[in-house]
Amino acid sequence: MNPWLTALLLVLALGFFAFTMARRLAPLWALRAADRLDRPGERLAALLRFGFGQARLPDRGDVVPGLLHVAIFAAFLVLALRTVTLFGLGFSLDFHLPLLGPDAPIGHAYAFLKDVVVLLALAAAVGFLWRRLVTRPDRVTRSWEGVLILFFIAGLMVTEIGYEGALRVAEGAPFRWLAPAGSLGAAALQGLAPGPAASVGVACFWLHLVLILVFLNFLPFGKHFHIITALPDVYLQRLPPTGALRKLDLESENAEYGVKTVRDLSWKEGLDTYSCTECGRCQTHCPTYVTGKPLSHKEVNRAIRHHLVRQAPELTAIASTGDAAARQAAAEALPALVGEVLAPDTVWACTTCGWCETACPVFIENIPRLVDMRRHQVLVEASFPDEAARVFKNIETQGNPWGIGSNRRAEWCEDLAIPRAGETQDFEWLFFVGCAGAFDDRQKKVSRAIVKVLRAAGVKFAILGEEETCNGDSARRLGNEYLFQTQAAANVELLNARGVKKILVQCPHCLNTLKNELPQFGGHYEVVHHTELIAQLVASGRIRPEAAASLGGKPVTFHDPCYLARWNGITDAPRRALESVPGLSLREMARNRSQGFCCGAGGGRMWLEEKLGTRVNQNRVEEAARTLGEPGGVVATGCPFCLTMVRDGVNELGREDKLKVLDVAEIVAEGIRAP
Ligand code: SF4
Ligand code: SF4
């Protein structure tokens, strides 16, 4: 062993590492502030489950690479102590960590565990190399860096095995199952005389130390920076309600208008780009990516990361200047993200369905970043699709995206004599009908089905009638934060004035906005989706559905709306409601519940032309058709947008004779007798 050489290696390598880290992290100081240190208990729990527990890796339909990653991650954790020990041995042959000495029971247990993870990590590295070089699945980025890192990992494991094996040969120790890696190494060196075997051991020892230090210094330069930043990124994740977008301050002197340049991103969003592992999980069920639009969460991260690194000198200079005017001028000189780093089509393609975020093992936040870019395009550049302009105008003038006269909002229930919240306080639930439920001819039937169920169950409810206005979800997700805030403030004022406490909605977008976003404006209500209330009414015996004749004995599959299942975790209630109908046979599509596939209408895409790639709704209808089989059946859903998109997909594919599209409420209401 050689203390001087060990010390020299450590000083050089750690010094260079500190220098690189400082350069990589410095630009983050110039980015927007974000409070990510609140609710430490929840953060710690998430870190344990998703960081150290790797809970998102094997459970997303792609089990093998997830397990391989878990093996390598476990090896990194376990071998951290071993690394300290090996550097200690570089100074003194007697070195060992407290409790891990050669005669300590914990030391024996640790040595066994260490050997096991070494072998597993070696197997995992070989498995990943096979995947990268031979099977090459679509979601894996082809890069020399990925291959090099795997060789680093394999090299670390092989040198550990070689070093341990040489020690066993020198000691004449027999094969032992409790030392599997060392015994394997010894078996490999068996034919060597003691001298050469010892030389192999020494070579493995120093090579191992050098590999560790080179590996460490290589990390900050590429995607494997995630090995350092991923755990902090998991801890600093956005906490529930994740379906809520952040409220822009549009009033103050320092009003914000979204993201124009990289400097307008938050430091967390900068850290996100460093943490992307390029695993491609975000793409697998991204409705835009799989239908050929120019959007991949992975590629967006890569583009922004490279840009961030290129702009690092400017950002670091901005962070270090005390002169506010100079800071502002330097910030404005940075290249615009939309147009210069990302194509406008990329920014407008997202349906905000949330697949990418819930699939990402390191909790990278894509949607707030894309919506912030849309916000700048709308609020400052006035650059957005023509169809969006029409929607904004319609909401502004008539309080609904169709632009139908607001005075016609209650026509759907003219003959139903539903009480108005403005005229009575004798109601438990405020039925917030929503624009589609009030104006769309197909969805009006769903509104009436819900009324039928509520009346059969004796639920006291009222509506706002002509007073109701759009919740503003589409405006917000299309970037018009000003219009959204106007709608939100009006809704809160009205709901509070009517003394509303409990709200029933039929649209998951209404649900998400009223439940998760109105609290930003002082509106706090219990908000329930109609499928949840129906499931409760069935469970409490207040309604007893009878068979729905229109199903004709054919099976039903439930299409999970993204804003119901993914953003609000409601997946059981619609299924319970459906299964309460006697004789109904429910079949699951392969992509279901929180891993469902978007219909293509979220994020305001309902109102935009789908000009690129293939159609998202058709992709989903094909899946439903495969699930229901030859006789066809019913695609059930619980969202007006999904109902429209799936029905359009059925028509576009000419499958009207085989597939029916119904809301859960319609299926339940059919077999209920009105009181
Ligand atoms: S964003 Fe997340 S899921 Fe997508 S490639 Fe990066 S780490 Fe993987
Ligand atoms: S939110 Fe949905 S559409 Fe947007 S990038 Fe993520 S997976 Fe794709």
Side-chain angles (χ1 to χ4, degrees):
M1 302 302 115
N2 188 329
W4 287 108
L5 182 58
T6 310
L8 183 69
L9 284 175
L10 279 173
V11 168
L12 286 179
L14 294 183
F16 189 69
F17 179 70
F19 172 74
T20 318
M21 284 295 286
R23 279 172 58 100
R24 294 291 261 152
L25 296 178
L28 300 188
W29 296 110
L31 307 190
R32 179 165 44 82
D35 178 14
R36 291 301 172 92
L37 297 175
D38 57 338
R39 295 152 72 182
E42 278 175 66
R43 294 186 181 282
L44 195 59
L47 179 65
L48 291 175
R49 181 167 172 219
F50 297 106
F52 290 102
Q54 302 270 287
R56 276 192 174 178
L57 277 165
D59 80 341
R60 287 273 154 181
D62 207 358
V63 177
V64 173
L67 291 177
L68 297 182
H69 190 277
V70 169
I72 290 179
F73 179 74
F76 272 94
L77 290 185
V78 173
L79 293 178
L81 296 180
R82 175 66 173 166
T83 301
V84 175
T85 304
L86 288 175
F87 277 101
L89 289 173
F91 288 100
S92 161
L93 276 178
D94 297 328
F95 180 85
H96 62 79
L97 288 170
L99 302 179
L100 296 184
D103 301 323
I106 296 181
H108 287 300
Y110 175 77
F112 172 66
L113 181 64
K114 185 257 305 171
D115 269 24
V116 170
V117 298
V118 162
L119 293 177
L120 288 178
L122 181 57
V126 173
F128 271 137
L129 277 169
W130 180 265
R131 196 163 171 268
R132 250 175 203 286
L133 301 174
V134 183
T135 57
R136 308 173 86 182
D138 170 63
R139 72 177 170 89
V140 172
T141 306
R142 320 263 178 266
S143 77
W144 62 268
E145 185 200 336
V147 174
L148 182 66
I149 285 285
L150 289 171
F151 274 110
F152 263 126
I153 294 170
L156 284 170
M157 302 309 144
V158 168
T159 49
E160 167 67 26
I161 292 170
Y163 173 61
E164 281 282 354
L167 283 182
R168 294 187 72 79
V169 170
E171 290 162 6
F175 185 92
R176 283 183 66 219
W177 285 109
L178 288 177
S183 296
L184 207 68
L189 300 176
Q190 209 45 257
L192 293 183
S199 302
V200 170
V202 171
C204 283
F205 177 84
W206 288 109
L207 191 56
H208 189 88
L209 295 196
V210 170
L211 272 178
I212 288 172
L213 295 176
V214 173
F215 183 72
L216 182 70
N217 277 285
F218 183 70
L219 295 182
F221 289 99
K223 76 177 183 102
H224 288 86
F225 199 15
H226 80 262
I227 292 175
I228 297 168
T229 59
L231 289 178
D233 218 48
V234 172
Y235 181 84
L236 298 164
Q237 67 182 261
R238 169 163 116 257
L239 294 177
T242 46
L245 291 169
R246 85 188 166 98
K247 182 184 176 189
L248 285 191
D249 172 7
L250 297 171
E251 307 292 334
S252 79
E253 203 182 314
N254 299 317
E256 302 171 80
Y257 301 104
V259 164
K260 178 186 178 194
T261 71
V262 66
R263 199 216 167 202
D264 300 322
L265 297 174
S266 73
W267 61 263
K268 169 63 171 56
E269 289 168 327
L271 186 70
D272 276 353
T273 66
Y274 287 160
S275 306
C276 179
T277 69
E278 296 188 9
C279 66
R281 283 179 169 76
C282 49
Q283 291 175 183
T284 47
H285 299 319
C286 166
T288 65
Y289 180 80
V290 301
T291 57
K293 279 82 170 171
L295 169 61
S296 146
H297 189 11
K298 176 174 82 170
E299 297 303 334
V300 168
N301 280 322
R302 196 139 61 122
I304 297 179
R305 181 175 70 226
H306 288 166
H307 178 67
L308 181 60
V309 171
R310 272 197 304 276
Q311 299 301 320
E314 286 79 1
L315 289 167
T316 309
I318 290 171
S320 57
T321 178
D323 180 347
R327 219 169 33 231
Q328 186 64 21
E332 279 175 11
L334 291 168
L337 285 177
V338 179
E340 297 194 47
V341 179
L342 301 172
D345 280 339
T346 297
V347 174
W348 291 105
C350 180
T351 68
T352 70
C353 74
W355 162 262
C356 54
E357 291 199 8
T358 49
C360 180
V362 287
F363 288 80
I364 292 176
E365 297 155 29
N366 188 34
I367 296 157
R369 193 172 54 182
L370 285 180
V371 172
D372 270 340
M373 290 182 215
R374 289 182 180 182
R375 284 167 164 174
H376 182 83
Q377 295 303 300
V378 171
L379 300 175
V380 180
E381 308 288 343
S383 168
F384 45 85
D386 293 344
E387 310 92 285
R390 265 198 303 280
V391 170
F392 297 155
K393 183 155 176 282
N394 290 340
I395 296 175
E396 265 165 34
T397 55
Q398 300 298 342
N400 69 82
W402 283 273
I404 300 171
S406 59
N407 58 333
R408 298 178 56 194
R409 192 173 264 277
E411 282 180 1
W412 68 274
C413 61
E414 261 171 354
D415 57 331
L416 295 179
I418 301 173
R420 306 297 161 96
E423 294 164 2
T424 177
Q425 280 296 299
D426 187 24
F427 63 91
E428 181 187 4
W429 291 95
L430 184 281
F431 179 22
F432 191 93
V433 180
C435 300
F439 293 111
D440 178 76
D441 285 339
R442 175 67 187 83
Q443 193 67 23
K444 285 180 195 173
K445 294 180 183 165
V446 180
S447 304
R448 295 176 71 91
I450 292 171
V451 169
K452 185 178 173 190
V453 172
L454 295 178
R455 288 192 161 156
V459 174
K460 283 194 169 176
F461 69 99
I463 58 171
L464 290 166
E466 288 85 355
E467 289 184 326
E468 193 184 290
T469 187
C470 180
N471 67 62
D473 158 82
S474 289
R476 187 171 232 195
R477 280 154 184 82
L478 284 171
N480 196 335
E481 178 71 3
Y482 179 80
L483 177 56
F484 168 74
Q485 291 198 10
T486 307
Q487 293 299 118
N491 271 312
V492 169
E493 190 182 346
L494 178 63
L495 292 167
N496 288 349
R498 299 289 170 255
V500 171
K501 301 277 181 293
K502 295 164 76 169
I503 302 177
L504 173 67
V505 295
Q506 62 177 309
C507 170
H509 300 268
C510 292
L511 177 93
N512 188 62
T513 302
L514 270 54
K515 183 176 174 177
N516 299 327
E517 297 190 326
L518 289 195
Q520 296 170 352
F521 300 83
H524 299 272
Y525 317 102
E526 180 187 343
V527 188
V528 162
H529 189 250
H530 68 284
T531 59
E532 291 181 286
L533 187 59
I534 291 173
Q536 284 171 22
L537 295 174
V538 170
S540 60
R542 289 174 69 181
I543 52 171
R544 216 170 292 120
E546 290 172 14
S550 68
L551 299 181
K554 291 186 177 172
V556 176
T557 189
F558 183 68
H559 162 79
D560 290 274
C562 301
Y563 275 78
L564 193 64
R566 208 139 39 217
W567 290 121
N568 287 286
I570 300 166
T571 56
D572 284 340
R575 289 171 171 80
R576 284 204 307 273
L578 285 171
E579 283 169 341
S580 71
V581 176
L584 186 145
S585 150
L586 189 61
R587 290 191 190 164
E588 291 292 356
M589 287 186 264
R591 298 175 291 190
N592 63 44
R593 295 180 180 259
S594 64
Q595 298 183 33
F597 188 72
C598 179
C599 69
R605 292 274 344 162
M606 170 77 183
W607 315 106
L608 308 186
E609 295 285 328
E610 195 177 343
K611 295 173 189 152
L612 303 171
T614 54
R615 288 186 58 80
V616 174
N617 59 346
Q618 293 180 11
N619 185 300
R620 188 54 160 167
V621 169
E622 297 284 16
E623 183 177 7
R626 282 195 300 277
T627 306
L628 293 169
E630 183 45 35
V634 172
V635 185
T637 190
C639 170
F641 290 180
C642 296
L643 192 71
T644 303
M645 295 300 275
V646 177
R647 186 200 55 199
D648 287 355
V650 168
N651 294 342
E652 288 157 15
L653 293 169
R655 290 184 180 271
E656 305 92 315
D657 56 329
K658 290 282 173 75
L659 297 178
K660 252 189 189 175
V661 189
L662 295 170
D663 189 279
V664 171
E666 293 177 297
I667 297 171
V668 173
E670 189 182 335
I672 285 183
R673 270 171 282 120

